[in-house]
Amino acid sequence: MSKYVSLTEEEKAYLDSKIVLRKYLKGQYLVQQGDICKYECYVVSGCTKTSYVDDLGQEHIIMFSIEDWWTSDMASFINQSPADFNIQFLENTELIAISHDVIEDLYKHVPKLERFFRQVVEKAFIASQKRVVRNLSMTAKDRYLFFKEQYPEIEQRIPQYMVASYLGITKEFLSKIKSQLIMDQ
Amino acid sequence: MSKYVSLTEEEKAYLDSKIVLRKYLKGQYLVQQGDICKYECYVVSGCTKTSYVDDLGQEHIIMFSIEDWWTSDMASFINQSPADFNIQFLENTELIAISHDVIEDLYKHVPKLERFFRQVVEKAFIASQKRVVRNLSMTAKDRYLFFKEQYPEIEQRIPQYMVASYLGITKEFLSKIKSQLIMDQ
């Protein structure tokens, strides 16, 4: 955080006393669709998948979070209402987890954090809007190339069908794109 | 703003001295794709359309803003970088416009506004994610019903083809949905 807001030693100590380091195993969930999302989380190590399961039981992958990303079902976290998304751990994962009560308390005691979290949300919102634009404007091949840039080395960490789901294409079409890219080289 | 943060008389006066009321005519643009978005705006009266024109020249409507909504190309505004979107006025429109320099100055002089704008962005982000979920999970008919709820009476204000574009369906399919709904009554 100190990259974005300058905190006094006292503020740092207060923050340290309030945030919690949590560890999850691969396969566990931070939140499941319909439950309340308890934490806003910073990924220290590991990987999460945010997805939506539609009425036909099909899963749509909205985003991944890796090291140095934030993750939560924000609507659920802020309003303490049922979550729209599942957030599952794709690897054993270490998080800094901030609960709803704690974040409100932090805003009261360390008002500078309002600025920090405003910037976190701004970035998330921009990323979400840019994803809409990419889906409207880029070919699947270009979306795949962008994906590799945005999540470097994540492909070695997660199954291909998840990459395909995130890109909104079939696994078979993704293989075809990858063969094409190898041939292009 | 005083609904969300309590400001002193002095803070209110400072705010008043900094923000600008701007008027635009129907057809004008707040920002065009590729230009820098100069203002973060609160709609006092009127209506705007945020859209993206793809490489084939097809326009995709991302959102509308009516009274009491905020509008800007946020990535462009924050980073003062080329805009991804067009924001056009669909009616003569009155806005409270806050420029990039002014907003940074306001954060410095009235830090409480960090909280206010954090909440504005949180709501925008949640709305954007919920739109993704609706597109994945709802039928066109349900999306149309939701649209009518979200933007009450906007249908009397904008052309049908724009409603269809926002919903990601053809004008013909939208007519079909509307006839169906009348028959259902």
Side-chain angles (χ1 to χ4, degrees):
Chain A
M1 288 188 186
S2 30
K3 267 197 284 182
Y4 300 95
V5 282
S6 61
L7 298 174
T8 64
E9 287 307 312
E10 210 174 327
E11 286 168 338
K12 274 185 205 166
Y14 191 80
L15 193 59
D16 277 349
S17 76
K18 289 291 174 178
I19 62 178
V20 180
L21 196 68
R22 290 181 69 98
K23 293 180 186 201
Y24 291 91
L25 294 176
K26 177 177 175 172
Q28 283 191 291
Y29 286 84
L30 179 68
V31 62
Q32 298 186 73
Q33 223 166 299
D35 294 347
I36 309 291
C37 183
K38 287 195 218 146
Y39 302 106
E40 167 82 42
C41 299
Y42 173 83
V43 181
V44 177
S45 68
C47 180
T48 74
K49 170 188 79 178
T50 301
S51 69
Y52 174 79
V53 178
D54 68 22
D55 292 345
L56 302 171
Q58 207 187 332
E59 183 182 39
H60 305 272
I61 298 181
I62 307 296
M63 64 176 283
F64 301 101
S65 293
I66 51 174
E67 290 77 13
D68 198 29
W69 286 58
W70 287 82
T71 190
S72 78
D73 182 311
M74 195 169 295
S76 172
F77 179 74
I78 288 172
N79 305 317
Q80 293 288 288
S81 58
D84 285 318
F85 302 111
N86 292 297
I87 302 179
Q88 191 182 22
F89 299 101
L90 301 180
E91 297 173 347
N92 294 348
T93 298
E94 244 185 12
L95 299 167
I96 293 173
I98 307 179
S99 73
H100 189 72
D101 291 350
V102 165
I103 210 160
E104 286 301 327
D105 174 89
L106 286 175
Y107 289 144
K108 229 171 274 167
H109 284 84
V110 191
K112 280 175 218 168
L113 292 176
E114 297 270 8
R115 181 175 184 83
F116 176 75
F117 282 103
R118 177 178 58 76
Q119 290 172 338
V120 167
V121 185
E122 280 174 357
K123 276 179 206 150
F125 177 65
I126 289 168
S128 163
Q129 287 216 312
K130 290 215 183 264
R131 187 157 183 219
V132 172
V133 171
R134 286 199 305 280
N135 284 351
L136 290 172
S137 65
M138 281 190 181
T139 62
K141 183 176 146 188
D142 287 340
R143 291 208 303 278
Y144 170 66
L145 291 171
F146 186 90
F147 168 79
K148 280 166 67 94
E149 216 179 283
Q150 188 173 31
Y151 295 109
E153 289 168 46
I154 202 180
E155 266 197 285
Q156 284 77 57
R157 297 165 62 175
I158 63 173
Q160 284 304 295
Y161 77 88
M162 287 189 189
V163 179
S165 165
Y166 175 85
L167 296 173
I169 59 178
T170 63
K171 220 170 67 179
E172 291 69 28
F173 190 42
L174 177 59
S175 299
K176 225 165 131 179
I177 290 173
K178 292 172 80 165
S179 319
Q180 188 64 51
L181 284 168
I182 291 168
M183 278 166 57
D184 287 354
Q185 282 175 348
Chain B
M1 290 187 184
S2 32
K3 266 197 285 181
Y4 301 96
V5 282
S6 61
L7 299 175
T8 64
E9 287 308 312
E10 208 174 329
E11 286 167 339
K12 272 185 207 166
Y14 192 79
L15 193 59
D16 277 349
S17 76
K18 289 290 173 178
I19 62 179
V20 180
L21 195 69
R22 289 181 70 97
K23 293 180 187 202
Y24 292 90
L25 294 177
K26 178 177 174 171
Q28 282 191 290
Y29 286 85
L30 180 67
V31 61
Q32 297 186 73
Q33 224 166 298
D35 294 346
I36 309 290
C37 183
K38 287 197 219 144
Y39 302 107
E40 168 82 42
C41 299
Y42 173 83
V43 182
V44 176
S45 68
C47 180
T48 73
K49 169 188 79 175
T50 301
S51 69
Y52 174 80
V53 178
D54 67 23
D55 291 345
L56 302 171
Q58 206 186 334
E59 182 183 40
H60 305 272
I61 297 181
I62 307 295
M63 62 177 284
F64 301 101
S65 293
I66 51 175
E67 290 77 13
D68 198 28
W69 285 58
W70 287 82
T71 190
S72 79
D73 181 311
M74 194 169 294
S76 172
F77 178 74
I78 288 173
N79 304 317
Q80 292 289 288
S81 59
D84 287 318
F85 302 112
N86 293 297
I87 302 178
Q88 191 182 22
F89 299 101
L90 301 181
E91 297 174 347
N92 294 348
T93 298
E94 243 185 14
L95 299 168
I96 293 173
I98 308 180
S99 73
H100 188 73
D101 291 350
V102 164
I103 209 161
E104 287 301 327
D105 174 89
L106 285 175
Y107 289 144
K108 230 173 273 166
H109 285 84
V110 191
K112 279 175 219 167
L113 292 177
E114 297 270 7
R115 181 177 185 82
F116 175 75
F117 282 104
R118 177 177 58 77
Q119 290 171 339
V120 167
V121 186
E122 279 173 356
K123 275 179 207 150
F125 177 64
I126 290 169
S128 164
Q129 287 217 313
K130 290 213 185 267
R131 184 155 185 221
V132 172
V133 170
R134 286 199 305 280
N135 284 351
L136 289 171
S137 65
M138 281 189 181
T139 62
K141 182 177 147 188
D142 287 341
R143 291 207 304 279
Y144 170 67
L145 291 171
F146 186 90
F147 167 80
K148 279 167 68 94
E149 216 180 282
Q150 188 173 31
Y151 295 107
E153 290 169 45
I154 200 178
E155 266 195 287
Q156 284 76 57
R157 299 165 61 175
I158 62 173
Q160 284 305 295
Y161 77 87
M162 287 190 189
V163 180
S165 166
Y166 175 84
L167 296 173
I169 58 179
T170 63
K171 220 171 64 180
E172 291 71 27
F173 190 41
L174 177 59
S175 299
K176 226 166 131 179
I177 290 173
K178 292 172 80 164
S179 320
Q180 188 65 51
L181 283 168
I182 291 167
M183 276 166 57
D184 287 354
Q185 280 174 351

